[in-house]
Amino acid sequence: MKVLVVGANGKVAKHLAENLKDYPEIQEKAVIRKEEQREFFKQLGIETVILDIIHNSIEEFAAAMSDVDAVVFSAGAGGSGLDKTIMIDLDGAVKVMTAAEKANVKRFIMVSTFRAGRKEISRQIKENSSLKIYTIAKNYADEWLKTRTNLDWTIVHPGILTDQASTGKINLGRHVEIGNIPREDVAKVILETLRNDFSIRKEFEFVMGNTPISEAIQSFND
């Protein structure tokens, strides 16, 4: 399986690239924005393509998907402003979904925020949370994926991201209590969802826990 990773230079996606050695059946094609970002992936033997999620077209993303079997969307504005949050986390996500359909790539993994939905959005607005625009953008990107595409999607909702060492174990479910999750374990969850077709058209939250990642995903039944 060859996978186009959008947002490949992010911290989670870099862990994904480094963990591919344990998943020989998965090859990565990394979407990066700058020439100087190539070296990291070159050292890992990973193919790269330079595209900007804001400025490049649907057709250009579709062309980059001509030789892949799946797409992982792990891009995000990362606190760089409300306008970029909308352009990347919402419009950019929809742009990549549309490109995947245009390229006839069915499998799509979305890395979302921990909790979305109307109840969470209302809570954050009421509390004037600094994350409210981000949550709104992620929520409607998720809804577009679920209701406006025919993609074989999985939506993953990781907890509070940390740089702790991977434990390889999580607590996973439709609604779990908020907690930390190492970025490397998020990457491993993404890789395991790519390996497991029974995660298609499912979404789940996850934090650090006691269940091995593969077992947690395989036993999840929403």
Side-chain angles (χ1 to χ4, degrees), residues 97-165:
M97 295 173 212
T98 306
E101 291 196 299
K102 191 177 185 69
N104 294 314
V105 177
K106 291 288 287 181
R107 194 72 173 100
F108 198 102
I109 311 295
M110 170 69 81
V111 182
S112 187
T113 187
F114 176 69
R115 189 155 292 161
R118 173 49 53 193
K119 184 176 180 180
E120 178 64 14
I121 290 170
S122 297
R123 182 190 70 79
Q124 291 192 15
I125 290 173
K126 183 178 180 180
E127 297 177 5
N128 196 27
S129 167
S130 61
L131 294 174
K132 60 183 180 292
I133 301 301
Y134 172 75
T135 301
I136 290 169
K138 285 293 190 184
N139 177 75
Y140 287 107
D142 293 350
E143 288 302 311
W144 188 285
L145 179 58
K146 290 186 285 186
T147 65
R148 300 287 294 272
T149 77
N150 291 313
L151 297 168
D152 290 337
W153 53 265
T154 302
I155 303 173
V156 300
H157 299 270
I160 300 168
L161 302 177
T162 75
D163 290 322
Q164 293 172 260

Side-chain angles (χ1 to χ4, degrees), residues 15 19 161-170 180-186 188 208-209 213:
H15 280 299
N19 276 271
L161 302 177
T162 75
D163 290 322
Q164 293 172 260
S166 165
T167 68
K169 295 182 179 181
I170 58 174
N180 292 342
I181 184 72
R183 287 180 170 87
E184 185 172 5
D185 283 336
V186 179
K188 291 179 179 179
M208 292 176 70
I213 289 171

Side-chain angles (χ1 to χ4, degrees), residues 164-209:
Q164 293 172 260
S166 165
T167 68
K169 295 182 179 181
I170 58 174
N171 177 24
L172 179 153
R174 193 67 183 87
H175 298 286
V176 301
E177 186 175 344
I178 185 67
N180 292 342
I181 184 72
R183 287 180 170 87
E184 185 172 5
D185 283 336
V186 179
K188 291 179 179 179
V189 166
I190 294 168
L191 289 165
E192 288 294 337
T193 60
L194 285 167
R195 294 178 68 196
N196 293 295
D197 284 350
F198 44 74
S199 68
I200 289 174
R201 296 191 174 271
K202 292 182 180 179
E203 61 180 315
F204 49 80
E205 300 171 350
F206 61 98
V207 297
M208 292 176 70

Side-chain angles (χ1 to χ4, degrees), residues 88-102:
I88 295 173
D89 293 280
L90 178 51
D91 185 62
V94 172
K95 180 188 288 187
V96 174
M97 295 173 212
T98 306
E101 291 196 299
K102 191 177 185 69

